[in-house]
Every structure is written in structure tokens, then in C-alpha cells.
């Protein structure tokens, strides 16, 4: 479903076709539905992807949203690369191939194609008292002490990986670089009214629309309607619950 | 199992809307029926299908997208041979470099990655080997009056009621409030039919003012 179609559906449900701009502009709706989509994807973990980026000698902390062409370890404001047209068959989204998702939280990490165990800083200190000084092949990762969207690697790498731009969609095991699997989230400025609603399957789009309606009716404006907002909220939560359950129980988390 | 046409389902929804086709044109009713079927199927997983990965295997590729038209995968087969399912944590404990391992044509495991991707182990070195994905499908959209779908009667009843509530939403006030209690019926049926036995569903109730209005 295009975002413009979701806009029309929302107006239809609110019986506000014609004169809609008075209370719900397209730009306002775009902000609302993107925020709902962000919330839905982060709560359900419905869409995951792999990012590969360069390892650097002696560097322990890395952003999982690496900036293309910048020094490894520095963050982009959002991820880049071709977004999931192959997954959902919706074609190119937006006016270019750039910047449609970012990663929220690392779930699994590989170095040179080798799986790294997640470990807490406390356990690491117990396991290896001189871990901070050690330089060899990475074995563990942690996000205990790292800022959001970043990870720490132990021991720090004793070599610099092949010089590559961040890549997405599959593992690149060669070149002593990192691969991170994480939940992907939409980037607010990248979506327009002519885009498909990304990341969620057709069956889940209705829940995104109900989430937007909840926010519109639950706001403190003259559109406020508590009963209808409660119904919209129930429908939205119904969607979050089922897709979170599918991800956790059928897809292994 | 009984078979329903779109025409029948639409008629039953309109019965709950006093046959008001001016306020509720057929296109709107049909859209809500289709959305309600999709919601129901997300919980029950009753509609399943098998689809090939377009183009088959790509040499060395570990991650594959779930083919369009499938909601999430349940089984994967390669060249007609079903793979066993594993999880990232499980395979990574025993084979730490599994993402770099290759086979000419016979992988053993598949691993779900979110709902729209899956990994295979070992990755196939040969191009264009057939990979089929069996899974819960996106329901085909009912478009024409005599498009068909199979339901238990109780499921059809729940779907009709959900579609009606979604349409009555535009009326607001006590009309919607009273009608919205049908949503509880839908939730009750979902609880019985969900493929996930322990799933907790949202609670829905009437606010005091709307409740009083609805009683009038």
C-alpha cells in the first residue's frame, strides 16, 4: 500500500474526505505514519538485515550504522544501500536508492565470518583480566557499556580488514571485517507519500494505519475522540502482539 | 469446511450496517473484508502456500528473501529435499564459521531471519538450484463477487463483525461504541483459533460516557 493510499484510507475512516487539509495535512500524516512504522518495527523486530563493515587495528568500538566512505567506526545518520525491494517486490522506494533504513540494536555479530559470543563487561572481566590490552582475533562483543547503535569488540582486532564500503543484505565473510545482524527501522526523512509502506508485509499494513489513526484521534486537538482512539489502539496492539509472537515463536527471536 | 463468496460476505456485513450502501459503498466493504481476512490469517496461519525463490540459488549466498506472497516461512526445500530448521544461536554454538561454509548443492539447515529472510547452511556454490519456500501465505484479495474462500462458520462470523466495526468506526459516538463490542467477539474467536496458544490479546472496553450512551 502506498502511503498516499493509507492517507486516503485514514481520511475515509475518519469520514473526512474533502477538506481534509483542515485537520490532517499530508506532511503531518507522513510524520505520524513514519513514527508508527518505526514503533511497530522496533517492537516486533519484524525485519532484520545484515550490515558488513571494516574492522580496524586497535579499535574496540564500532557503530552498527557505519557512514559510507567515512572512517570505519563512525556513524551515519542512517544506513544506506538498496532497501528491500527484493523482499517485498515493491520496486524502488523514494526518488533515489539512498538512506531508507537504520539499524536499532545488534543481535548477532561475526568477525571474518566467525561468530562472536555476546558477553557482559562483568563476565569479560572475570574471564580475562587483561582484556583491555589484548590485541588478537576478536572473540566477544558487548553493548553493555556502548552508546545506542554501537558495539564493543573484545579483544580488539590485531589487523585491519579489507577496505570496503558498508554492504547490506548478505554476509561477507572474507577480509577480516565485521558482519552484524540487526533489526532494521525506517528513516523518517527518506519516506514520501508516493512510497510503499516499507518493511511490513501486506497483512500488517492495516495495523500501521490503525496506529496512525490512534495518534490522530488521541492527540489533544479538536480531532480527539477517546473511544475511537481506544479501538484504534487495540487494533494496533493486536498487530504488534501477533507479529512479535510470530517473530519470537516461529522465527526464533 | 463451508465456502463463502465475496458477495455473501459483503451481504452479511451490509446486514449489520442496515444495508446503507450510500455511506458504505461496496468498495469500502470489500476492503474491510479483505483486511479482516488478512488479520485473521496472521493469527491462524490457515492459508499456506509454496513458492520458489526467484532465480534459485546464487553461488555463495547465505541469506535469501522470502518470496513475495508469503507472510512467513515454515519449511524450506532445496531440489525437492526438505531442510531442517535451526536458529542462529544454535548453529553458531556448534559451527562458528557457518556463514562462510559452502556446499556444491546440498545444504542441510535453514535459519529464519526476521519474517522476510532466511539463511541456508552451507551456502550453495552452484547457481540456479531450486529453492522452494512453504509458509503462511498472504491471502489472495477477494475482488469479484464470486471469488471464494473457505472458513469455519464461526470464523466467517468473526470476520464479518470485524469488517462491520471497522466501517462503523467512521460514524463515531454511541453508534460506533455499541457496535465496537463486536470486536470483543472477534478477539474471543481469535483466541480460540490462533496458532499461538499462549498469545495475549489486547483488551477492549467502552469508556463510561460512551457506555452510558450505548445503553440509551
Amino acid at each position: 500500500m502506498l502511503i498516499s493510499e493509507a492517507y486516503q484510507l485514514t481520511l475515509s475512516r475518519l469520514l473526512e474526505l474533502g477538506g481534509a487539509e483542515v485537520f490532517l495535512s499530508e506532511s503531518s500524516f507522513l510524520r505520524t505514519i513514519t513514527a508508527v512504522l518505526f514503533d511497530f518495527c522496533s517492537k516486533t523486530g519484524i525485519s532484520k538485515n545484515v550490515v558488513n563493515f571494516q574492522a580496524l587495528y586497535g579499535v574496540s568500538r564500532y557503530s552498527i550504522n557505519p557512514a559510507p566512505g567515512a572512517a570505519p567506526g563512525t556513524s551515519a545518520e542512517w544506513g544506506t544501500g538498496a532497501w528491500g525491494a527484493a523482499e517485498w517486490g515493491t520496486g524502488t522506494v523514494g526518488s533515489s536508492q539512498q538512506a531508507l533504513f537504520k539499524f536499532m540494536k545488534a543481535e548477532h555479530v561475526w568477525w571474518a565470518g566467525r561468530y562472536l559470543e555476546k558477553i557482559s563487561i562483568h563476565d569479560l572481566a572475570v574471564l580475562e583480566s587483561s582484556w583491555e590490552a589484548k590485541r588478537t582475533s576478536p572473540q566477544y562483543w558487548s553493548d553493555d557499556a556502548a552508546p545506542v547503535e554501537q558495539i564493543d569488540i573484545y579483544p580488539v582486532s590485531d589487523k585491519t580488514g579489507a577496505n570496503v564500503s558498508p554492504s547490506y543484505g548478505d554476509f561477507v565473510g572474507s577480509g577480516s571485517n565485521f558482519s552484524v545482524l540487526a533489526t532494521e527501522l525506517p528513516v523518517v526523512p527518506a519516506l514520501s507519500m508516493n512510497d510503499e509502506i516499507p518493511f511490513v508485509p501486506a497483512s500488517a499494513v492495516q495495523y500501521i494505519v490503525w496506529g496512525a489513526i490512534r495518534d490522530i484521534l488521541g492527540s489533544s486537538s479538536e480531532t480527539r475522540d477517546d473511544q475511537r482512539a481506544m479501538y484504534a489502539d487495540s487494533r494496533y496492539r493486536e498487530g504488534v502482539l501477533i507479529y512479535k509472537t510470530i517473530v519470537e515463536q516461529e522465527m526464533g527471536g | 469446511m463451508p465456502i463463502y463468496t465475496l458477495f455473501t460476505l459483503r451481504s452479511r456485513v451490509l446486514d449489520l450496517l442496515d444495508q446503507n450502501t450510500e455511506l458504505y459503498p461496496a468498495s469500502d466493504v470489500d476492503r474491510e473484508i479483505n483486511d479482516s481476512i488478512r488479520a485473521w490469517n496472521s493469527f491462524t496461519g490457515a492459508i499456506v502456500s509454496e513458492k520458489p525463490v526467484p532465480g534459485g540459488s546464487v553461488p555463495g549466498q547465505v541469506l535469501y528473501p522470502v518470496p513475495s506472497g508469503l507472510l512467513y516461512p515454515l519449511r524450506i526445500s532445496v531440489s525437492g529435499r526438505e531442510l531442517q530448521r535451526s536458529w542462529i544461536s544454535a548453529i553458531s554454538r556448534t559451527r562458528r564459521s557457518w556463514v562462510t561454509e559452502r556446499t556444491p548443492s546440498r545444504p542441510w539447515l535453514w535459519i529464519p531471519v526476521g519474517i522476510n529472510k532466511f539463511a541456508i547452511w552451507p551456502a550453495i556454490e552452484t547457481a540456479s538450484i531450486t529453492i522452494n519456500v512453504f509458509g503462511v501465505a498472504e491471502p489472495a484479495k477477494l475482488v469479484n463477487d464470486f471469488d471464494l474462500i473457505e472458513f469455519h462458520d464461526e470464523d466467517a462470523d468473526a470476520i464479518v463483525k470485524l469488517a462491520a466495526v471497522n466501517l462503523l468506526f467512521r460514524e463515531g459516538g454511541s453508534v460506533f461504541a455499541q457496535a465496537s463490542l463486536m470486536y470483543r467477539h472477534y478477539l474471543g474467536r481469535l483466541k480460540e483459533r490462533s496458532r499461538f496458544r499462549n498469545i495475549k490479546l489486547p483488551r477492549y472496553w467502552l469508556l463510561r460516557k460512551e457506555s452510558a450512551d450505548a445503553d440509551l
Side-chain angles (χ1 to χ4, degrees), chain A:
Chain A
M1 180 187 281
L2 298 175
I3 293 178
S4 57
E5 292 171 330
Y7 179 58
Q8 292 303 318
L9 174 57
T10 300
L11 296 176
S12 162
R13 283 194 171 139
L14 297 172
L15 204 58
E16 293 287 350
L17 290 170
E21 285 289 322
V22 173
F23 87 104
L24 181 63
S25 66
E26 287 190 357
S27 59
S28 164
F29 180 75
L30 193 57
R31 279 194 303 275
T32 301
I33 200 160
T34 311
V36 171
L37 185 61
F38 192 96
D39 183 69
F40 188 88
C41 290
S42 62
K43 283 178 174 161
T44 59
I46 199 170
S47 186
K48 299 182 195 299
N49 207 341
V50 169
V51 56
N52 305 279
F53 53 86
Q54 189 183 18
L56 282 184
Y57 171 82
V59 173
S60 66
R61 181 164 290 175
Y62 293 85
S63 168
I64 61 171
N65 289 299
T74 57
S75 299
E77 286 189 19
W78 53 74
T80 58
W83 166 77
E87 290 92 318
W88 303 113
T90 51
T92 302
V93 171
S95 55
S96 68
Q97 286 281 335
Q98 53 107 36
L100 291 164
F101 61 86
K102 64 184 292 188
F103 292 107
M104 179 175 66
K105 189 173 170 59
E107 294 174 21
H108 301 279
V109 179
W110 290 258
W111 174 78
R114 185 177 165 82
Y115 189 76
L116 305 184
E117 291 283 348
K118 188 175 185 183
I119 195 167
S120 70
I121 297 291
H122 176 264
D123 289 348
L124 188 67
V126 171
L127 200 69
E128 178 82 60
S129 57
S130 59
W131 58 269
E132 286 166 302
K134 204 170 175 184
R135 277 167 176 57
T136 180
S137 299
Q139 293 182 51
Y140 304 102
W141 70 280
S142 172
D143 55 7
D144 284 5
V148 67
E149 299 169 14
Q150 296 190 33
I151 55 172
D152 291 327
I153 302 291
Y154 309 107
V156 295
S157 178
D158 61 351
K159 62 184 77 155
T160 291
N163 187 8
V164 292
S165 282
S167 63
Y168 302 86
D170 200 13
F171 298 93
V172 179
S174 59
S176 299
N177 288 324
F178 291 108
S179 301
V180 173
L181 180 73
T183 293
E184 53 187 355
L185 301 173
V187 171
V188 176
L191 294 173
S192 78
M193 292 297 280
N194 294 322
D195 289 336
E196 291 275 347
I197 295 177
F199 299 110
V200 295
S203 286
V205 165
Q206 60 185 305
Y207 296 118
I208 306 299
V209 174
W210 282 115
I213 291 173
R214 172 201 61 186
D215 289 356
I216 292 161
L217 293 175
S219 65
S220 55
S221 69
E222 62 186 44
T223 60
R224 181 169 177 154
D225 182 332
D226 289 340
Q227 188 67 56
R228 290 203 294 172
M230 177 181 285
Y231 178 76
D233 180 55
S234 294
R235 293 303 320 279
Y236 178 69
R237 284 186 295 123
E238 174 194 315
V240 169
L241 283 165
I242 184 56
Y243 281 93
K244 188 168 186 284
T245 303
I246 290 170
V247 170
E248 288 177 354
Q249 295 191 22
E250 290 281 6
M251 306 292 114

Side-chain angles (χ1 to χ4, degrees), chain A residues 9 12-15 46-50 86-88 108 110 112-117 139 169-171 173 181 184 201-203 206-207 210 213 217 226-228 230-231 234-235 237-238 241-243 245-247 249-252, chain B residues 28 31-32 35 38-39 42-43 61-63 66 71-74 85 87-89 92 96-100 112-117 138-139 162 165-166 169-170 172 176 183 186 195-196 199-207 210:
Chain A
L9 174 57
S12 162
R13 283 194 171 139
L14 297 172
L15 204 58
I46 199 170
S47 186
K48 299 182 195 299
N49 207 341
V50 169
E87 290 92 318
W88 303 113
H108 301 279
W110 290 258
R114 185 177 165 82
Y115 189 76
L116 305 184
E117 291 283 348
Q139 293 182 51
D170 200 13
F171 298 93
L181 180 73
E184 53 187 355
S203 286
Q206 60 185 305
Y207 296 118
W210 282 115
I213 291 173
L217 293 175
D226 289 340
Q227 188 67 56
R228 290 203 294 172
M230 177 181 285
Y231 178 76
S234 294
R235 293 303 320 279
R237 284 186 295 123
E238 174 194 315
L241 283 165
I242 184 56
Y243 281 93
T245 303
I246 290 170
V247 170
Q249 295 191 22
E250 290 281 6
M251 306 292 114
Chain B
D28 287 7
R31 185 193 60 226
E32 296 297 354
D35 266 358
R38 285 172 161 174
S42 297
F43 279 83
Q61 185 168 316
V62 178
L63 277 186
V66 173
L71 193 49
Y72 58 91
L74 295 171
R85 176 154 65 175
W87 314 108
I88 289 177
S89 301
S92 299
R96 295 177 75 88
S97 297
W98 66 272
V99 301
T100 63
V113 177
I115 69 165
N116 57 5
K117 297 183 187 70
E138 290 280 8
L162 181 66
V165 176
N166 290 344
F169 186 85
R170 63 178 65 165
F176 168 71
Y183 177 56
Y186 164 80
R195 64 185 278 123
F196 306 104
I199 192 166
K200 289 184 178 170
L201 293 170
R203 295 181 64 199
Y204 177 75
W205 64 93
L206 294 185
L207 299 171
E210 301 294 1

